[in-house]
Amino acid sequence: METNESILNSALLDADEGGDDTFLSNSVPVQSVHITDTEEVSDGKKHTVYSITAHSEGVVWSVRRRFKQFHELHTKLKASVSAEALPNLPSKKMFSRDDKTISKRRQELEMYLNELLTNTLTCSSPDVIAFLESSSAFASLRKQVNSLEQKIHRYESEKQDTLEFAKKVQAEAERAVAESLRYQESIAELQQQRSRQEEELCVLRPKFDEASQRLDQTYGKLLSLTKQSRTQESEHRQLSRKLDSAVKNESIMQAALSESKRQLDDCKEQTKHLHARVRDIEAQLGESERIVSEQRREIASNIETIQNLKSKVRQAELAGSGASYHATTVLNSGGAGQTAFSAARLASR
């Protein structure tokens, strides 16, 4: 509790001394960012604005940046960090502004920012911190902290006043008790000297009654103050329990954030496996297309061969028909024709 409060007080003090935009530079670093949305804006020239959500120790805020500002950040970082140590920034030119292209660039920019935050050379860079800062997000936090400090200061002041009043009442009670003791001693002395001091006793009795009444009133006030002090102690315990609950909720949110990051890493790993699988399938499809193309060429060659054979058979049939006709003519001419017809049939066979 005291550690978180001291961190907040130190960060707010530094923010007041250096302006609203120095809060992140002296507090805990940004843990992760997500680009949640994009918007097409036209101010003479159409461009895309990216909505960036940043997370830092349970605090979440959003900023809006265009690609020109990403490029300026990358240029500033190259002036202080070697280009080999920096992640790759997507290309400035876009050949298409469809949803698929914009979504791809959004993912690439989100990966670029998260790599900057995980890189020890750039995670604490003033340029990266200034790029992700939002003064309005921390103005609300500063207002809440100031309100809490005012309540604590008011409680401490009331507690101090109560203690001082209790000391005064106790002093009065002690004086009253001392006075009462003196009166009692006087009464005892007066009782011993009753015969001689009855007139003085009549004078002292009203004073004693008045002192007793004042003592009773003081005791009543003391009881009332004690009750108020107990009530304030109860409120203080309730406030402490609420603060402990807030710290516990913060720890739960940090654990949930770590789990989300782990799931995101698993998704990235699965995506890599799926890309490798797609490349294997594409290679198999290419091989299958090559085999089908070769089979098609073989089938075309076989068809051409069959057509050639059919053509040769047709030519042979035509040649056989001509020989048969000539043999029939000879046969009609006589016995020599019969012999020639037989020879032609043998030749056709």
Side-chain angles (χ1 to χ4, degrees), residues 118-294:
T118 55
N119 190 335
T120 56
L121 298 176
T122 58
C123 63
S124 300
S125 171
D127 296 322
V128 176
I129 293 173
F131 182 83
L132 295 174
E133 282 181 344
S134 172
S135 59
S136 60
F138 295 101
S140 176
L141 178 61
R142 185 180 294 106
K143 184 177 180 180
Q144 295 176 8
V145 173
N146 289 337
S147 177
L148 181 60
E149 288 180 343
Q150 291 175 1
K151 290 181 180 180
I152 293 174
H153 179 72
R154 187 167 55 252
Y155 167 76
E156 293 292 340
S157 178
E158 292 175 356
K159 182 179 178 181
Q160 187 66 26
D161 293 341
T162 302
L163 291 176
E164 291 177 359
F165 184 76
K167 290 179 180 179
K168 292 180 180 179
V169 171
Q170 186 177 3
E172 291 181 1
E174 290 176 355
R175 286 195 299 270
V177 170
E179 187 176 356
S180 176
L181 291 174
R182 287 195 301 271
Y183 284 150
Q184 288 178 359
E185 293 174 357
S186 300
I187 291 172
E189 187 177 355
L190 289 172
Q191 286 177 350
Q192 294 175 1
Q193 300 174 358
R194 177 179 292 181
S195 60
R196 295 181 296 104
Q197 299 176 347
E198 286 183 356
E199 293 181 359
E200 294 180 3
L201 180 60
C202 292
V203 175
L204 290 175
R205 277 182 178 175
K207 293 183 178 180
F208 177 77
D209 294 338
E210 182 181 357
S212 298
Q213 185 178 1
R214 289 175 59 189
L215 180 62
D216 292 338
Q217 292 176 355
T218 303
Y219 182 71
K221 292 180 180 179
L222 182 60
L223 290 178
S224 177
L225 290 175
T226 303
K227 184 177 181 180
Q228 292 179 4
S229 178
R230 290 177 179 175
T231 303
Q232 291 177 353
E233 289 178 356
S234 177
E235 293 177 353
H236 178 70
R237 286 194 295 271
Q238 291 179 359
L239 180 61
S240 298
R241 286 196 293 271
K242 290 181 180 179
L243 291 175
D244 293 339
S245 177
V247 173
K248 183 177 180 182
N249 291 336
E250 181 183 359
S251 300
I252 294 173
M253 291 177 66
Q254 290 178 355
L257 179 61
S258 299
E259 179 64 17
S260 299
K261 290 177 67 178
R262 187 189 63 77
Q263 293 179 0
L264 178 61
D265 294 338
D266 293 342
C267 290
K268 289 181 179 179
E269 188 66 24
Q270 292 178 3
T271 302
K272 291 181 180 178
H273 291 319
L274 288 174
H275 287 169
R277 180 60 179 165
V278 168
R279 288 194 293 270
D280 293 342
I281 292 173
E282 289 178 349
Q284 293 176 2
L285 288 174
E287 181 65 19
S288 299
E289 289 178 356
R290 186 185 64 76
I291 294 173
V292 169
S293 177
E294 291 179 356

Side-chain angles (χ1 to χ4, degrees), residues 57-97:
E57 293 293 339
V59 180
V60 181
W61 69 95
S62 298
V63 294
R64 289 163 57 85
R65 299 288 185 263
R66 54 184 296 184
F67 184 81
K68 177 181 178 181
Q69 293 169 296
F70 280 91
H71 188 268
E72 292 174 353
L73 171 63
H74 194 71
T75 302
K76 291 178 181 179
L77 291 175
K78 286 195 295 185
S80 58
V81 182
S82 63
E84 292 78 7
L86 293 175
N88 294 326
L89 183 69
S91 175
K92 188 174 183 180
K93 294 184 179 180
M94 292 180 64
F95 298 100
S96 174
R97 303 192 72 86

Side-chain angles (χ1 to χ4, degrees), residues 34-39 49-53 62-65 106:
H34 300 285
I35 299 181
T36 57
D37 194 11
T38 59
E39 180 182 358
V49 177
Y50 301 89
S51 296
I52 305 171
T53 299
S62 298
V63 294
R64 289 163 57 85
R65 299 288 185 263
R106 178 182 64 80

